Each structure stands twice: as C-alpha cells, then as structure tokens.
Amino acid sequence: MQKIAALLIILVTLARSIHAQEIPYTSCPKCWNPDSLGNHRAVIRFNGPGNIAHVRIPWRLPMADPFDHRIIVQDAKTGARVPSSSSNLTREAGDIYFEPSSGKGVYYVYYLPYRNEGRSNYPKGAYQKADTTANLPGTHAANAVVTSFQSIDTFNTFYPMEVIATAKETNALKAKHPGAPFLLFPEDRDHPIRMTNDLPLRWIKQQPLHTLTAAKGEYYAFQVGVFATKDLENIQITIKAPFAANCINTTGVTYDGKPFTKDINLTKDQVQPLWCGIDIPANAKPGTYPVTVTVKAHDTQLQTFRLNLTIANRTADDDAQKMTHLKWLNSTLAQENTVIAPYTPLAIQGDTCVSLLGRKIFLSKQGFPEQIQTFFTPEMTEITKVPNNLLAENIHFHFTKRSDGKDIRLKPQPIQFTERSPGTVKWQAASLADELKMDVSATLEFDGFLAYTVKVTALQDIDLKDITMHIPFRREMATYLMGLGQKGGYRPDSMCHWKWDVAHKNQDGAWIGAVNGGLQYSLRDEHYVRPLNTNFYLQKPLIAPASWANGDKGGIDIGIKGRSMLANNYSGARSLKKGDTLYYNFNLLITPFHPLNTDFQWATRFYHKYANLDTIKATGATVVNIHHATPVNPWINYPFIEAKRLKAYIDSAHERGLKVKIYNTVRELSDHAYETFALRSLGHEIYSPGPGKGFSWLQEHLREDYIPAWFVPEIKDAAVINSGMSRWHNYYVEGMNWLVQNVGIDGIYLDDVAFDRATMKRIKRVLTKDGHPGIIDLHSANQYNPRDGFNNSANLYMEHFPYLNRLWFGEYFDYEKNPPDFFLVEVSGVPFGLMGEMLEHGGNPWRGMVYGMTNRMPWSDNADPRPIWKAWDDFGMAGTKMVGYWSPNCPVKTNAIDVPATVYARTGAAMVALASWAPEDTTVMLNIDWQKLGVDRGHAIIEAPAIANFQPARRFVPGEPIPVEKGKGWLLIIR
C-alpha cells in the first residue's frame, strides 16, 4: 500500500452544483407548535403552473431508513393543512405533492411530526406514521422549490453537523482515496461531531481546518474525525505540540485517580470523533506554533497532518461552551485522603488497635475485627469514655470440608501495617493450612469505612461443604436491622433468611445495630460494579459475586445463636482445583459517624424554592435551595450555562445573610450540556447503554443507545442517564470547585446519588475549602420498590452519610402507617449522627418533632414549619440537649409505649415532644424524673404554647392525664 504522508481530507470539488447546498438553514422560535408538527419544516414556494404542487425536498436527515413519518403540508396564509401525498421517501430526500389551496405562495412541509405520550416528566415522543390525505398523481414535474429549512429553535437544528452527505457523495469521496483505510477530518470545537453512521455535508463542502486560535491559559479543544473505509482496530493518536496535549478518547484518569488507556476500534463506514486538547500555560508567549497530529490503526500506515496554533495576546475566559472544561475529565483534584472535619486522624495503638472519632477497632490475628467499640452516648449528642462493644466474638471465616464436616484450621501469620497516615490505615495478614491460603488486605479510613479484600487460594484439590463469614453481634447492640428485604426497624425475633437475586434485588448486605453503635456490611468480589439506582436499577443491576453467591447456593441467615445475634454469610458447597482463587471481599461501615449537631438543626432552615430573596428572608429561613428548572439553574446537573445569573442571585443572598445551595448531582445529565457529543464519543463510559426513545430531541439527535431520564416540559430539558462510576465524576468535582470559587455556592442539594463515597469525599473537600460552609443535604424517594430493587434509602446511601449535613427522606415514605422504629432507622438519621426533615404529604409534624424534624418550607401548604420554628425560638432551642425516647436516660416518659416522648433540655426548662402511634385517641401520664430534668416539681409549670396548625394553648398540672389525639401529639414546655 502506498504510504499516505499527509491528511486525507476533503479537497473535493463536485462536478456540478448541488441544489441542497444552497438552501439556508434557519430557526423560527414559537412559529408553530412542535408537539404536534415536530421540530423541523421546509419552507416551500409554489409558483405554478397548475393546481398540483410538486417539490423534491433534500432534507438529508440523520435518522435511519426507512423513512415512514407523516408529512403535513400547511398553507402559510391560512394555517390550514392541505391535501398531500408523497413518494420516493428516503432519509436523503422525498417527493411531496400537495394542493396549493391559496394558489401561488408559501407553504410549509413538516416532515417529523410527533406527539408526546406517557408521563409529563418521562415523555415518549411518538412519531406519527405516514398517511395520505389526497391521491395526487405523482407524474408532475417539480414546480415548487425549497427556499429554506427551519427548526423550531437553534437547539433543535440539524445544521450543520447532522445534515448528511448522500451515499453518492460519500462514495465519490471514497473513490478519490482508493486503498486508504481511513480518512481524517480535523474539526473545530464549535462544531461537535454528532453522527457516527454518516459524514456531514459540511465535510464535503468545506476546506479542511488549518488554524487553531487560542488564548493564554486556555485548554484548547479540537476534534479529529476518523472515517473508516475498512474495519479498524486499536486506533491511536499522537499530538506533537509545544505544550501538553492529550486525547480524552484514548487516555485518561479514572474517577479514583488511576491512569488508563482505551482501545478504540471502528467498524467500516463508521465515524469516530477524537477529542483532543492543548493545555496552554497562562504565561505562554503569543505567536504561532506548529501542531502535528498523527493517527494510526493496527495494520495500517500512519497518517499525519499539521495545524497552526496561534496564541493571541489575551488571557482566556472560562467558557464551557468552548469545551475548555473537557480538561476536567482527567482531574485528580481532592483525591488525597486528607481528614475532613469533624473527623480526627486515625491513631494506631499497639499492634492491634486503631482508633478514630468515637470508635475503636481491635484486630484478630487473621486481620479481621476482634472487637469494635463505639463511644457515643445513647442520646447521640456526646462522645464518652465508656465503650459499647458491638461484637460477641471476632468476625471470622469458616472453611468446612465436605468429607468430614470439619473446619480447616488456618494458622495466621503476623499482621503487617502497610500505611499509617492520618486519613488511611492499611494492613495485610495471611493465614495458611495445607489445603488453603487466605490473604487479607484491609483499608480503614478516618470516617469509619473499612474495606476488606479476602483472597482465598486452593493449595490442593479440595471439596468444601461451605465457606462462611460470621459476624457475631452482641444481642444488646443488635436492636435494629435494615436491609436484605427488611424495612428498617426492630430486628425480627425469628430467623431472617435471604438469598441472592440481583436481577430483582439491589441487596448485598444489611445494617445491624443500636442507636449508638452498629455495622453496615456489604458483600462484594473483585468484579463489583456500582449498579444504577433510582428507577433504573433493573437496567443495570448488581453483578452477583461469584464467591458469595456461588450460583444460587449462597445467602445470609440472621438470627439469635447462643449469646450472640449472628449474621451467617454463607456461600454453599463447591469444589476447588489447586490454584483456584476466590475473592470474598466485604465492606464495613461503623456507625454512628459523629454525634448529632442539634444546634445546626435548629438554626439552619431551608427554603426549598427559587424566590424573591427578601420574601425568603422574611420567613425566617437561612438557606435557599435552588432546584434545577429555575431561571438561575435551568438545566439538570449542568449549572454552567446561567452561571452569571446564578452568581448575581447568590451575591444578593449573601448581602442579606442568606446562604444558597444548588441542585447538582450525578445520575442524569441535561441534553443542554455543551459537552454532550464529546461525552458520547467516549462510548458507554459516561452515558449508560439503553433502548433510546424518550423526548423528541433525544430521538432526533442521539437517536440510539441511551436511557432517557428526567424531563422538564416547561423548558424542554431532556436528561440522559449516566453510566455509573466514570470520569464524569472528575468533571463533577472540578465543576463543584469552580462553582464554589467563582459563583459562591454554599453547598449542594443532592436528589439521590449515583456516585460512590470516593467522589463524595472529594466533593466535601472542595465545598469546604477556604472556609466555605459546604452544606450538603440529601433527598431520596423511598427505594423500597420493584424499580429500585427493594433497597432501603438509608442503606443505599449510608456510605455518604459521613459527609451530609441533613437528610430529606421524603417521597413515598409513609409517615402515618409506619411505627416509631421505622422512623428512627430509615428516616430520622439519628443512629448515624444525622438529623432530617419530612416531605411526603407534609409529613407528620407531631411524630417528626420526636426526632427533631419538621417539614421543609415551602414544600407543602398543609405543613408550614414556621409556627414550629417560632416555638423553637420562643423556647430557645440553641444549646439544648436532645434526649430521645430511645435513650434510657430520657427524663420524661409516658405510660404508653405507643406515645413516646423526647426531651430538649436546658437549664431550668425543657421542651417535651409527644407523638402518638396509638390506634385511637388516648390519654397518657407523664413519668418525670424531676432531678434529671433539673426542675423543681413543687414549682413546675407544664404548658402547651399555642402553635398554629399544631396545638392550642393549654396548661397541665403535674400528674394530670394528657389527652392525645390519634396520629397527633404535643409540644410541652416544662419550667
């Protein structure tokens, strides 16, 4: 094959003018209703002669054949639909015949009409099938012309990068380069390559890109389109430039900071965009520099072309539209595992003990926890020196032989600590027997996360009856359970039997514990991949761990065994050959993470709506949550387009003493993101594979292989589901840092979470850098349903709890029918060191106050929290000590188990919250420990202050029965 030394690009001059090249593409906002006529039309001028108009429309559509969409012809003068028929319809062009009802003049042809069906926030754009409104003869010569193509707005246009070259044009181009395995098309950043199955007409018409013009300090992005004329393997690109350069398609850094390379293969007649960037230093000398780009694939000769990089004598503006933020995909910002407040550095004591905030871990000789202690009071407001031992005995494995039913005794070797840093402690241990070896690697982090890699290797052929891991809890510290198909609440007295079923259940472990001490554990192997969540679990479920699941043999039994409450994690019988290896990995989270910050709860009051700042200030709220689909933050999870307006709003809020948090998370991404097609060029790295469909823009511009997500009808913002753990998290961290430093956000509002704790830690670091408050609150709808794999929201997101300031577990949580233990475990956050708020139907204000929760303003008209806020302020909640009904030290109790009482005490006075779960109206007596309460009974006053929509004013005499309505309660002041 003759060596190709220069770029094979379009230098083609077609033999004759192509009429379609001369037709302008324009937009006409609000000129028609796209939800019935579609987003595109051709403007036709009929000049006669005759009473039948014929026009051939070269629409050059990016959708695949066959073209079977309805054609609607409209009289521009009257707006009426006119009779029409069509023939020879393909994605390239079609012949349209219609009756020109107004004679000579302008007519519109709508060729992609659709109607939105389904739910408003999850629409299904249904394209109308072809019909015939007239039987017009198709033999007339063309007597009408296309004067322009119009889209409903510029966002919906196909021009220029989705106006396809015809098959004839593409074949003519290929014929000019016989034997070339691929053709290259350098393209600027302003025209993202959108099509992978077609060449754009732009590449037939335009001269190739020669010059890049950049500013000092700019990450200058450009593209190289690779068009394969045969199947290609392992496409590689090299950029020689005077400054650092890269291609995000071939190299990168993972979300957890590991460099990687990607293999790129390309099928014949497909296009692969390669997004490249040159990182120009801020002190670069203005001038023109050569840039040489070389592309090669396996078993092909390389192709090289040259660009001229001109650096202007100006400093770059940060402009996401110029693709400057693509650099963020490979960021390692905030990766170092530094300790985050309020946590304290890890400390190794002796050879077997590691201490952290409020907790200690003692290690067995095999490297597993011998004992885990917590030092939190039952009230969860303080750390003491009195330990709570979680385990009845050490966590351990059993390897049981099939032949005699006896356990294999593994002899442990000394533990070796491999890292001793303030944020991370790592150790290794090995245990040996003649038949097996167990290698243990563990990583403990400052927040109480403990990850185990357990490698089991067969040293000889062996038949095993079972491999199990036992977690023996002290019964006193295993009061509650959540997970494995159990709603959060009291641990059942009967044995809990659970089996793996990843196709339907997003379950791989449980949380077991008491309010002031517990463990969440999750069973994994080396192939674990985070699944999708929040309505999309079934489209990317868990991968069953080969070790633990062992087909359908594995499972978990939880129940009382002797003096312990045993979690028996078994994997069943199996045969191993010498050298076989299994990974019995597992993670632990030691709860609680920190004491309750009750003063933050009383003083920090969220206003969850974009509104006038003076109006918000007047309510008594202190923090504004700016949702997406608002003027200053319109596009879901992409707050960069209106950043200037957002900054102006935040600046005004700060002047009024208000803080502002914004909706911004990872799960789905707006189709308005400037980088949409650059991210699509990465295959399934950023966007999850899926069936496509959804809103019309997605169908017309993404076309296939995506999962449609949340849609906002008012602004037509259509999101697409992210794939899971990816470099988009690097972008997210950098973006959050940019928003803190340049826009001034005070934190984020998370609406469910689709990233792991590594990303959460990075987010918390950048949000709190330079003294910024970094407030994070998490909302979740109840995940305990078939779409979400019957997971518990608190269980699903517990790895993020160490970095949250508040929970808002709202939609589909039933605050009326679930008992107090469910409130405590699944909703309140108390056993984890958090406090929360209510949402669904406004919550139950009486039951909420038992856990220090109100509704969030102005979410529900029937649950305005301002009257309760006022009651807090009148009483003086700042500095009070919360003593929940769950604490044995609570100084006020009732004589009814289904009417609990929680006390908020300060010197000489207390606010007491009563709430009823009784099946009917009842009366209760208060059992008060006056000494603990610090109030003289002889002079005590028990008063219910008037609180609008909550309770009337009333006084009670100590010892007087207190009436409590069903589902309600009281806030009593004792002084």
Side-chain angles (χ1 to χ4, degrees):
M1 180 183 296
Q2 183 180 359
K3 183 176 180 180
I4 304 171
L7 169 67
L8 292 176
I9 55 176
I10 295 80
L11 296 173
V12 177
T13 302
L14 297 180
R16 58 186 179 83
S17 173
I18 301 175
H19 177 67
Q21 294 181 36
E22 302 169 358
I23 302 174
Y25 283 77
T26 63
S27 64
C28 194
K30 300 182 180 179
C31 290
W32 69 89
N33 179 11
D35 291 336
S36 59
L37 296 174
N39 300 311
H40 311 275
R41 73 183 182 185
V43 181
I44 311 300
R45 177 165 291 280
F46 170 68
N47 291 319
N51 57 2
I52 296 177
H54 170 205
V55 61
R56 179 144 181 93
I57 306 178
W59 37 50
R60 295 173 176 262
L61 298 174
M63 282 78 83
D65 273 334
F67 185 94
D68 59 355
H69 297 280
R70 181 172 299 175
I71 303 295
I72 297 175
V73 182
Q74 185 185 69
D75 187 326
K77 184 179 294 186
T78 67
R81 183 179 182 182
V82 301
S84 65
S85 62
S86 57
S87 63
N88 304 316
L89 299 181
T90 70
R91 60 200 296 258
E92 293 182 1
D95 289 291
I96 310 299
Y97 304 88
F98 61 91
E99 296 178 0
S101 54
S102 294
K104 295 179 180 180
V106 176
Y107 296 83
Y108 302 127
V109 176
Y110 301 90
Y111 42 86
L112 290 173
Y114 70 89
R115 291 186 184 278
N116 274 332
E117 299 176 353
R119 293 172 54 190
S120 62
N121 294 116
Y122 286 96
K124 299 176 182 178
Y127 284 84
Q128 301 176 57
K129 296 298 183 182
D131 66 350
T132 299
T133 58
N135 187 18
L136 302 178
T139 57
H140 285 270
N143 58 1
V145 296
V146 181
T147 62
S148 68
F149 290 106
Q150 291 185 337
S151 57
I152 192 62
D153 53 33
T154 56
F155 186 67
N156 278 276
T157 186
F158 290 130
Y159 183 81
M161 297 306 292
E162 294 172 284
V163 178
I164 66 169
T166 65
K168 182 178 180 180
E169 292 161 354
T170 301
N171 290 333
L173 174 63
K174 291 162 65 176
K176 287 183 174 292
H177 303 284
F182 56 89
L183 306 181
L184 300 179
F185 300 88
E187 183 60 84
D188 63 38
R189 61 192 177 185
D190 297 326
H191 297 91
I193 299 170
R194 294 179 167 216
M195 300 187 296
T196 57
N197 298 319
D198 295 278
L199 298 180
L201 178 61
R202 169 181 166 87
W203 288 355
I204 302 295
K205 295 166 55 180
Q206 297 281 109
Q207 291 294 314
L209 178 70
H210 288 298
T211 301
L212 311 175
T213 302
K216 295 183 294 183
E218 181 174 25
Y219 179 79
Y220 190 94
F222 65 97
Q223 307 164 86
V224 179
V226 182
F227 175 56
T229 58
K230 66 173 225 177
D231 291 350
L232 301 176
E233 295 181 1
N234 192 21
I235 298 172
Q236 298 177 359
I237 184 169
T238 303
I239 306 166
K240 292 184 178 179
F243 313 111
N246 73 315
C247 172
I248 65 170
N249 300 85
T250 57
T251 61
V253 178
T254 62
Y255 78 96
D256 54 354
K258 299 179 178 65
F260 70 94
T261 59
K262 294 181 70 172
D263 290 335
I264 298 179
N265 303 318
L266 194 57
T267 304
K268 180 183 177 183
D269 292 330
Q270 298 290 295
V271 176
Q272 171 63 53
L274 300 177
W275 277 90
C276 309
I278 302 173
D279 204 0
I280 301 164
N283 62 353
K285 184 178 180 181
T288 299
Y289 301 84
V291 175
T292 303
V293 180
T294 301
V295 178
K296 189 183 184 303
H298 175 69
D299 200 26
T300 69
Q301 292 183 317
L302 57 82
Q303 297 185 37
T304 300
F305 65 89
R306 176 170 166 166
L307 299 170
N308 295 317
L309 173 64
T310 298
I311 300 178
N313 190 21
R314 58 181 175 84
T315 302
D317 296 324
D318 187 278
D319 188 348
Q321 193 168 7
K322 293 180 179 179
M323 304 295 172
T324 57
H325 293 174
L326 285 177
K327 177 183 178 180
W328 293 354
L329 288 172
N330 292 326
S331 171
T332 58
L333 179 65
Q335 282 284 8
E336 185 180 357
N337 199 37
T338 54
V339 178
I340 300 169
Y343 301 101
T344 55
L346 295 167
I348 299 177
Q349 300 169 350
D351 295 329
T352 61
C353 177
V354 185
S355 64
L356 60 155
L357 180 69
R359 290 152 289 176
K360 280 186 179 180
I361 299 172
F362 297 86
L363 300 178
S364 72
K365 294 180 179 180
Q366 290 188 328
F368 301 119
E370 179 84 29
Q371 184 56 266
I372 298 174
Q373 295 178 336
T374 68
F375 293 84
F376 298 93
T377 63
E379 300 78 49
M380 275 301 301
T381 54
E382 295 175 288
I383 297 174
T384 72
K385 295 182 179 180
V386 180
N388 307 298
N389 291 326
L390 299 187
L391 301 178
E393 59 177 311
N394 62 300
I395 296 175
H396 57 275
F397 275 77
H398 291 279
F399 302 91
T400 308
K401 293 186 289 187
R402 187 180 298 174
S403 58
D404 58 11
K406 293 183 179 180
D407 285 352
I408 298 172
R409 301 296 181 184
L410 280 74
K411 184 177 180 180
Q413 298 176 346
I415 294 174
Q416 294 182 342
F417 285 93
T418 59
E419 182 176 340
R420 302 166 180 255
S421 68
T424 308
V425 170
K426 295 182 179 180
W427 62 90
Q428 294 179 345
S431 300
L432 286 166
D434 291 339
E435 305 93 332
L436 292 173
K437 180 181 181 183
M438 180 174 66
D439 293 294
V440 174
S441 298
T443 301
L444 174 65
E445 298 190 24
F446 59 85
D447 58 1
F449 174 76
L450 179 53
Y452 274 96
T453 299
V454 181
K455 179 183 177 182
V456 177
T457 304
L459 302 180
Q460 57 184 244
D461 295 354
I462 186 170
D463 290 331
L464 292 169
K465 180 180 179 181
D466 207 349
I467 297 177
T468 63
M469 179 181 70
H470 285 178
I471 306 179
F473 291 84
R474 289 181 62 233
R475 292 172 68 168
E476 300 87 342
M477 298 303 293
T479 310
Y480 304 101
L481 183 148
M482 173 174 56
L484 305 179
Q486 299 283 329
K487 293 170 67 175
Y490 286 122
R491 170 184 49 80
D493 290 332
S494 58
M495 181 72 73
C496 169
H497 299 283
W498 177 87
K499 298 287 289 182
W500 290 92
D501 180 13
V502 294
H504 305 98
K505 299 176 184 176
N506 187 9
Q507 300 170 8
D508 61 2
W511 174 82
I512 301 169
V515 171
N516 58 342
L519 282 180
Q520 185 204 54
Y521 74 96
S522 306
L523 306 181
R524 309 280 169 84
D525 70 3
E526 75 274 28
H527 300 299
Y528 174 80
V529 175
R530 186 182 180 89
L532 295 180
N533 60 282
T534 315
N535 298 329
F536 300 101
Y537 172 75
L538 300 179
Q539 299 189 52
K540 185 184 176 183
L542 281 168
I543 300 171
S547 53
W548 293 107
N550 192 14
D552 61 353
K553 297 178 183 178
I556 300 174
D557 291 335
I558 296 176
I560 300 300
K561 185 178 181 181
R563 62 188 180 91
S564 74
M565 199 292 300
L566 179 65
N568 174 36
N569 309 281
Y570 63 91
S571 60
R574 69 194 329 143
S575 296
L576 298 177
K577 296 292 185 183
K578 182 179 180 180
D580 284 352
T581 298
L582 292 169
Y583 284 87
Y584 281 87
N585 301 345
F586 63 96
N587 294 337
L588 300 176
L589 276 168
I590 307 168
T591 65
F593 301 109
H594 50 67
L596 298 176
N597 187 349
T598 53
D599 278 355
F600 178 88
Q601 184 78 353
W602 318 138
T604 307
R605 301 169 184 181
F606 292 148
Y607 190 96
H608 197 88
K609 186 178 181 180
Y610 171 78
N612 176 272
L613 290 167
D614 290 325
T615 301
I616 295 172
K617 178 77 173 176
T619 68
T622 62
V623 179
V624 188
N625 271 11
I626 301 298
H627 217 276
H628 72 95
T630 55
V632 296
N633 187 26
W635 315 114
I636 190 167
N637 298 331
Y638 197 78
F640 306 107
I641 295 177
E642 296 293 343
K644 290 182 179 179
R645 293 181 67 186
L646 179 60
K647 184 181 188 310
Y649 185 86
I650 291 174
D651 288 346
S652 295
H654 288 168
E655 291 171 0
R656 291 163 172 80
L658 298 171
K659 293 181 173 63
V660 180
K661 297 164 52 263
I662 68 167
Y663 183 113
N664 188 29
T665 185
V666 172
R667 180 184 65 190
E668 59 221 311
L669 179 61
S670 169
D671 59 349
H672 285 70
Y674 293 132
E675 299 89 350
T676 294
F677 292 98
L679 302 179
R680 287 274 288 177
S681 79
L682 299 174
H684 295 144
E685 182 186 347
I686 307 298
Y687 292 117
S688 183
K693 301 295 185 181
F695 184 58
S696 63
W697 190 94
L698 302 178
Q699 296 192 54
E700 291 173 8
H701 299 277
L702 302 187
R703 291 179 283 281
E704 60 185 4
D705 199 23
Y706 60 88
I707 300 175
W710 188 257
F711 176 73
V712 181
E714 295 79 7
I715 59 174
K716 291 183 166 52
D717 182 32
V720 181
I721 289 294
N722 298 124
S723 62
M725 309 310 298
S726 74
R727 279 187 289 172
W728 186 244
H729 297 174
N730 295 335
Y731 185 108
Y732 179 58
V733 172
E734 281 280 1
M736 207 70 80
N737 182 64
W738 187 89
L739 290 163
V740 172
Q741 301 300 324
N742 295 279
V743 180
I745 66 170
D746 297 297
I748 53 172
Y749 160 65
L750 295 174
D751 185 1
D752 286 296
V753 178
F755 52 82
D756 75 346
R757 63 187 306 278
T759 301
M760 179 63 87
K761 287 187 295 179
R762 297 173 69 190
I763 291 298
K764 193 68 172 183
R765 289 188 182 104
V766 300
L767 287 177
T768 55
K769 188 169 67 173
D770 301 328
H772 289 275
I775 304 168
I776 305 177
D777 71 302
L778 170 66
H779 162 252
S780 178
N782 197 334
Q783 308 282 305
Y784 199 83
N785 60 67
R787 298 185 309 278
D788 299 305
F790 295 101
N791 205 341
N792 317 77
S793 292
N795 217 32
L796 177 64
Y797 297 128
M798 198 176 297
E799 64 179 346
H800 302 298
F801 282 10
Y803 308 102
L804 302 180
N805 298 89
R806 187 170 294 175
L807 297 176
W808 194 24
F809 282 1
E811 288 145 310
Y812 319 126
F813 280 90
D814 191 334
Y815 303 112
E816 299 298 328
K817 296 179 182 177
N818 284 298
D821 53 310
F822 173 83
F823 257 84
L824 179 65
V825 173
E826 283 230 43
V827 179
S828 76
V830 168
F832 315 105
L834 290 171
M835 299 183 76
E837 290 171 302
M838 301 174 291
L839 190 156
E840 184 80 4
H841 303 306
N844 182 304
W846 301 275
R847 294 176 178 178
M849 268 307 301
V850 173
Y851 308 94
M853 300 190 298
T854 65
N855 186 40
R856 178 171 296 187
M857 192 173 184
W859 198 255
S860 300
D861 292 336
N862 64 329
D864 186 342
R866 284 178 293 181
I868 296 178
W869 291 352
K870 183 178 184 300
W872 289 356
D873 293 339
D874 290 345
F875 175 69
M877 287 289 275
T880 59
K881 181 178 180 180
M882 178 180 177
V883 188
Y885 70 85
W886 53 85
S887 171
N889 302 318
C890 188
V892 179
K893 301 180 184 297
T894 77
N895 63 340
I897 193 171
D898 48 11
V899 186
T902 289
V903 172
Y904 305 95
R906 59 178 174 81
T907 303
M911 176 182 282
V912 181
L914 303 180
S916 177
W917 276 266
E920 55 191 19
D921 293 351
T922 187
T923 58
V924 298
M925 300 291 294
L926 298 184
N927 299 319
I928 302 174
D929 186 327
W930 295 99
Q931 184 174 355
K932 279 186 179 180
L933 196 62
V935 175
D936 182 355
R937 187 184 191 283
H939 298 87
I941 297 172
I942 302 176
E943 183 178 25
I947 302 175
N949 302 316
F950 187 92
Q951 67 187 23
R954 183 166 174 177
R955 281 198 173 193
F956 297 96
V957 175
E960 178 185 352
I962 298 176
V964 184
E965 293 183 48
K966 176 183 175 182
K968 295 185 178 182
W970 293 93
L971 273 182
L972 304 174
I973 307 299
I974 303 177
R975 63 176 95 244

